[in-house]
Amino acid sequence: MAAMASVVNILGVIFLSHAVYSAYEHSLLPSASIAPTSSAILPRSLDPNINLPIDITLETLFSAFLLCVGVVLSSPGLKPIQWNVWAGGLERSKEAREVKEVGVGGGNPYAGLEERAGFLDIRGKRKEFSDWIKQDAGSEKS
């Protein structure tokens, strides 16, 4: 896949270079210096001074498309979007669990956030509440 992406990128660069050179050569022709009719859509400052032939325009668009495809094909694999999948993968890998520096632990990178002082433990509070409700319901039946 990487070899194919490199070939597509090289072809895109070759086609783009040829299109740029062709556009430059076309701009030097005496017939290209004749100003085209002004467009009613574009303002005068954005109107082009040179009419490029359709083959140069198509070659430029084709080379840009090839380069986009080549970049997409050569990009690395996507990472999982779900944080629990990513953190679980880190916890399971041996490299992530090893301590490489003093004070820098391995495993889940969010474990420090969950164990910090003053952090509200929602699951613990929910369990306390359900125990309190069960205890209160048990005392009313008696």
Side-chain angles (χ1 to χ4, degrees), residues 27-108:
S27 71
L28 296 179
L29 293 174
S31 62
S33 63
I34 300 171
T37 59
S38 66
S39 170
I41 299 170
L42 293 174
R44 184 180 162 110
S45 62
L46 293 178
D47 240 357
N49 294 330
I50 298 171
N51 273 336
L52 282 179
I54 192 74
D55 62 335
I56 296 175
T57 305
L58 289 177
E59 185 180 15
T60 305
L61 293 174
F62 178 68
S63 63
F65 174 75
L66 279 181
L67 286 171
C68 289
V69 168
V71 167
V72 168
L73 288 177
S74 65
S75 66
L78 299 175
K79 305 285 188 253
I81 294 175
Q82 298 170 336
W83 287 103
N84 60 353
V85 174
W86 175 74
L90 277 180
E91 288 176 341
R92 285 188 295 277
S93 70
K94 282 187 174 182
E95 308 89 43
R97 286 193 307 249
E98 292 176 0
V99 177
K100 296 182 176 90
E101 295 178 28
V102 177
V104 178
N108 186 354

Side-chain angles (χ1 to χ4, degrees), residues 2-18:
M4 188 172 90
S6 298
V7 169
V8 171
N9 279 332
I10 289 171
L11 283 175
V13 168
I14 290 171
F15 279 122
L16 184 63
S17 301
H18 184 263

